[in-house]
Amino acid sequence: MSRLDPPPINRRSFLSLAALGSFFAALGTAAAGMLRLPSPAILPGPVRRFKLGPPEEFSAGTETPFTEQNIVLFRDDDGFYAISTTCTHLGCTVARSKEGFACPCHGSRFDPRGNVVGGPAPRPLPWLEVSRAANGELIVNADTEVPEGTRYSV
Amino acid sequence: MAETATKEFVHNLHELPHTVKDACFRLGKTPESEREESQATFHNLFLHIHSVRVHLRTLSPTLTFGLGLTAMASFVITIITGVLLMVYYKPSTDLAYQSMKDIHFTVYTGRFIRNIHRWAAQLMVLVVLLHMARVFFTASYKKPREFNWLVGLGLLVITLALSFTGYLLPWDQLAYWAITIGSNIANSPRELTDAIGITKWFDPGGFQKRLLLGANFVGQDSLIRFYVLHVFVLPLALVTLLGVHFWRIRKDGGLAKPEDPMGGLAEWGGERRTVFQPLATKTYGLMALVKGKRPPVNRGPENTVMSWPHLFWAELAVFMLTVAITLTLSFYWDAPLKELANPAIPENPAKAPWYFLGLQELVSYSAFMGGMLIPVIVLIGLALIPFLDRRSGGEGVWFGTPGEKATTWQSLFFALAVTVGMLAFTVNFGWLRNWFPNIHQLWIIAINPGSLLVLIFAAWSLLILKRKDSVRLAAVSLFTCFLVSFTLLTYFATVHRGPNWHFYWWPSQWPLH
């Protein structure tokens, strides 16, 4: 027998090891299965598509805050756009300020188009998809982001 | 025959008070001899976690200040008051706030019980931190106590988690926004994954947040999860780990202390107390001497006294003091209850509980670095201490290593200067984003006041390692820096941060809004 050969193992030790191994394998599988449970399969929550009213209500050059929905709807000469007021840092609601938006929680600041100008926010405020319902009302989908500068023209 | 049985029955009935008493209290009287005192300790389930004899050093109030026991006492208080609050509290978004109002205004002693719960919880966090500092500065984590230091860190984390989960339950503005922020800190690895564009495939942040909240926002699913964690999972984990903690104290030979000096009790005021002095000619049984190496050869006398009554009086005193402190605080200061949670309007400023405010200050530079990486780095650093500093010496003595006091003072002033400087600089000049609005997020995560503080302190500790040629002193400098910085950041965020997280000298200067 060479020096490099593994030490011999007798049948009893081998079977014991195998039994122990299968015990831990079963335990691990059971634990993994149980830990899977708290991770939600379906995320609860309301549909975040908001009807904001007919386009005629908003004249060009205005902005309308929707506090319940955490959205500001803008209309300029090119069309409509909506910006989310949920801070991209830690989820507080930003308020409209002189230079744009300001977050009360950790002092993130944004310009009127949502770009970060100061503070810890990692991303600009998201621009949200604007569309129209069958009855002509404007719809903002708060779950769908669109690139900055995207307008919806009526 | 029947007559004797009747007699026996009547006799037994007559003796009932005595026989029941003897069955419950087996000794049946106050212990008088040391043998009976050791039996009183040894034969009682609740007392037998103590050794029968205890070293005089252990009883010295200025060695431990009873901090560990105070933490235990405040935990017992939160358990009792917590169970009482559960009688009325309803973990539902529709009912939680109303049940809090009920507890506050209608339930008999409800407000007082809730105040006690809150104050005991705050005391527990404070005392657990102080207890850790005590263990560190008396070098009590050294061999063979490394494992118990780790268990203690686990207990610290669970204590903080208990506080955090309890914060949501009132379902008021404070609760809602603190947990919104907290859960988004769990989400903050996205800062990194977004910055390098892999969130679509690898999203640990989103996973953590959903696991915590059961949803993408703080709602009913989150409330019930926090409730289950707060009233069952975490207390159970704490009690289990606490059992291990106490068990290890016994197994590691009681509290850390230096070897007994030869020649008796000079430093303890001579024959101040009756002290056990084993006779060379006598053999002692297990009952009288549970701990230690026998027989004593070339060592001084044991310097121990009986646990009953000396240790138990001391423990009772600490319990009473803890209860007195929490009751006094609860009598004068109410636990806050703000308006009903309103997802549309955040509190301004939305502040975490005080012990998380230091972290909140770091989070206001970068959520991922301040909220996740730095806490993890600090915890790993703390966990490594007993494994990197392995040279014995100084155990059980405050600042027992030569040069330790000087190093502590130096590090204290160093950390004070660096942290104040860093805060003053940030308040006055802002940070990278203010200077380069288009800078890549990776730079913000990597280089911010929080990460710089960690780097500077690590460098300082390495300098001490080189200059003083002592691993223990390097650990002391790092731990002191951590403690000072933590305290200072907590103070700064508590007092000097106002609406929009702007700097104010005093809360009285906050603008009305």
Side-chain angles (χ1 to χ4, degrees):
Chain A
M1 199 172 87
S2 142
R3 196 165 50 85
L4 295 172
D5 280 338
I9 178 167
N10 61 31
R11 180 163 26 180
R12 177 173 295 234
S13 313
F14 174 76
L15 287 176
S16 303
L17 271 177
L20 207 61
S22 58
F23 167 73
F24 281 112
L27 195 71
T29 316
M34 282 189 288
L35 287 178
R36 182 66 188 78
L37 183 139
S39 169
I42 296 172
L43 290 172
V47 179
R48 303 214 303 139
R49 284 166 57 91
F50 305 114
K51 274 189 187 174
L52 301 182
E56 305 83 64
E57 279 187 15
F58 313 98
S59 49
T62 60
E63 57 177 82
T64 319
F66 291 88
T67 14
E68 291 276 301
Q69 293 85 349
N70 289 343
I71 289 169
V72 181
L73 182 71
F74 292 85
R75 180 175 193 173
D76 62 11
D77 296 335
D78 299 328
F80 288 98
Y81 60 99
I83 295 181
S84 158
T85 55
T86 303
C87 184
T88 52
H89 178 229
L90 292 175
C92 293
T93 305
V94 296
R96 199 72 171 84
S97 67
K98 260 175 277 168
E99 64 266 30
F101 300 94
C103 182
C105 293
H106 304 98
S108 290
R109 282 177 290 119
F110 306 86
D111 69 12
R113 291 169 66 92
N115 292 311
V116 188
V117 289
R123 296 191 303 128
L125 293 174
W127 284 45
L128 304 173
E129 188 190 58
V130 185
S131 57
R132 277 175 93 177
N135 66 0
E137 280 192 53
L138 284 173
I139 289 187
V140 169
N141 185 348
D143 289 324
T144 311
E145 249 184 78
V146 292
E148 188 203 336
T150 311
R151 305 288 206 287
Y152 178 79
S153 44
V154 188
Chain B
M1 284 302 282
E3 229 170 82
T4 21
T6 315
K7 255 190 189 161
E8 189 185 334
F9 176 74
V10 172
H11 176 75
N12 287 353
L13 206 59
H14 189 71
E15 289 293 307
L16 197 62
H18 298 288
T19 44
V20 169
K21 178 170 161 274
D22 286 349
C24 295
F25 306 97
R26 270 146 300 167
L27 198 56
K29 56 173 180 149
T30 316
E32 278 155 12
S33 63
E34 291 207 339
R35 182 170 178 277
E36 284 172 358
E37 283 173 352
S38 55
Q39 278 179 333
T41 312
F42 211 75
H43 287 173
N44 182 306
L45 174 71
F46 302 102
L47 297 183
H48 91 284
I49 57 165
H50 302 90
S51 59
V52 165
R53 305 191 63 86
V54 60
H55 197 277
L56 276 175
R57 271 182 179 278
T58 305
L59 287 176
S60 163
T62 50
L63 173 67
T64 63
F65 294 99
L67 289 168
L69 205 61
T70 311
M72 167 73 186
S74 42
F75 177 60
V76 170
I77 297 171
T78 52
I79 288 280
I80 295 170
T81 50
V83 168
L84 287 172
L85 291 172
M86 279 172 74
V87 172
Y88 285 101
Y89 177 76
K90 304 175 187 74
S92 133
T93 49
D94 294 332
L95 304 171
Y97 186 70
Q98 296 311 322
S99 61
M100 292 305 291
K101 284 274 184 209
D102 281 349
I103 289 170
H104 204 85
F105 293 109
T106 345
V107 174
Y108 193 64
T109 71
R111 183 200 292 208
F112 194 47
I113 294 289
R114 175 169 177 246
N115 290 351
I116 297 173
H117 190 72
R118 167 117 181 164
W119 278 114
Q122 308 249 332
L123 187 70
M124 186 171 159
V125 173
L126 176 71
V127 165
V128 163
L129 289 170
L130 291 177
H131 175 60
M132 179 172 76
R134 190 287 284 179
V135 169
F136 181 84
F137 285 115
T138 56
S140 300
Y141 55 79
K142 288 185 175 177
K143 201 178 168 187
R145 296 180 176 81
E146 304 101 317
F147 179 69
N148 221 10
W149 171 262
L150 294 183
V151 175
L153 279 182
L155 286 167
L156 171 69
V157 172
I158 296 178
T159 305
L160 293 176
L162 267 168
S163 289
F164 178 68
T165 49
Y167 218 67
L168 179 64
L169 303 188
W171 204 252
D172 61 351
Q173 276 288 72
L174 207 60
Y176 182 87
W177 287 103
I179 304 306
T180 298
I181 291 171
S183 61
N184 277 311
I185 290 176
N187 192 34
S188 67
R190 274 201 184 170
E191 259 184 28
L192 189 66
T193 53
D194 276 346
I196 49 181
I198 57 164
T199 309
K200 218 192 274 179
W201 302 283
F202 179 67
D203 183 19
F207 175 74
Q208 286 187 112
K209 184 179 173 181
R210 283 193 300 273
L211 203 61
L212 198 62
L213 296 185
N216 277 328
F217 58 96
V218 180
Q220 178 62 56
D221 296 81
S222 328
L223 183 58
I224 204 77
R225 275 171 196 234
F226 275 59
Y227 182 70
V228 169
L229 285 173
H230 186 74
V231 305
F232 182 73
V233 179
L234 293 171
L236 190 71
L238 192 91
V239 167
T240 311
L241 221 50
L242 210 53
V244 178
H245 204 54
F246 290 159
W247 167 256
R248 286 309 315 177
I249 294 174
R250 279 298 298 282
K251 290 289 142 185
D252 296 338
L255 302 193
K257 53 189 165 293
E259 282 283 304
D260 285 313
M262 290 292 288
L265 271 175
E267 59 178 310
W268 290 98
E271 293 294 316
R272 197 151 51 89
R273 295 177 218 203
T274 328
V275 162
F276 177 72
Q277 307 238 7
L279 296 168
T281 53
K282 203 176 165 199
T283 319
Y284 292 90
L286 182 68
M287 278 300 240
L289 304 159
V290 172
K291 209 53 222 175
K293 308 169 191 114
R294 300 276 96 63
V297 176
N298 293 331
R299 287 195 298 135
E302 281 265 303
N303 294 348
T304 58
V305 291
M306 296 303 293
S307 294
W308 181 297
H310 302 283
L311 178 62
F312 298 144
W313 278 127
E315 292 190 346
L316 203 61
V318 172
F319 259 85
M320 293 293 285
L321 192 67
T322 312
V323 172
I325 290 171
T326 40
L327 288 194
T328 312
L329 290 169
S330 311
F331 188 80
Y332 288 105
W333 288 282
D334 277 349
L337 186 63
K338 301 244 174 162
E339 301 80 15
L340 177 66
N342 180 356
I345 302 159
E347 280 279 285
N348 192 1
K351 287 197 180 183
W354 63 265
Y355 36 85
F356 284 135
L357 278 181
L359 277 184
Q360 195 172 348
E361 179 64 29
L362 296 183
V363 159
S364 76
Y365 311 130
S366 155
F368 181 56
M369 179 55 83
M372 299 221 58
L373 268 190
I374 290 178
V376 168
I377 289 170
V378 167
L379 275 178
I380 292 177
L382 289 171
L384 285 179
I385 287 174
F387 301 99
L388 297 182
D389 169 30
R390 300 189 63 79
R391 189 188 292 264
S392 64
E395 290 99 324
V397 182
W398 280 90
F399 306 105
T401 313
E404 193 178 327
K405 241 181 206 164
T407 306
T408 308
W409 279 113
Q410 286 162 10
S411 306
L412 191 145
F413 286 117
F414 177 76
L416 212 61
V418 170
T419 313
V420 170
M422 191 66 83
L423 288 172
F425 179 86
T426 315
V427 165
N428 281 311
F429 303 107
W431 202 255
L432 292 173
R433 182 74 78 193
N434 304 90
W435 313 325
F436 318 103
N438 292 321
I439 193 170
H440 199 275
Q441 181 61 24
L442 285 177
W443 289 109
I444 306 266
I445 297 175
I447 303 171
N448 62 59
S451 60
L452 283 188
L453 280 181
V454 172
L455 276 182
I456 292 171
F457 293 155
W460 166 257
S461 171
L462 285 176
L463 185 75
I464 295 280
L465 183 73
K466 283 266 180 212
R467 291 277 294 272
K468 310 236 169 167
D469 199 23
S470 156
V471 181
R472 164 72 183 162
L473 292 186
V476 166
S477 63
L478 197 57
F479 189 82
T480 311
C481 287
F482 153 71
L483 218 56
V484 169
S485 196
F486 174 84
T487 313
L488 208 63
L489 288 172
T490 306
Y491 158 79
F492 186 80
T494 308
V495 177
H496 297 309
R497 288 295 190 185
N500 294 355
W501 210 244
H502 284 314
F503 173 83
Y504 293 92
W505 280 109
W506 301 111
S508 54
Q509 298 169 331
W510 290 4
L512 295 170
H513 60 277

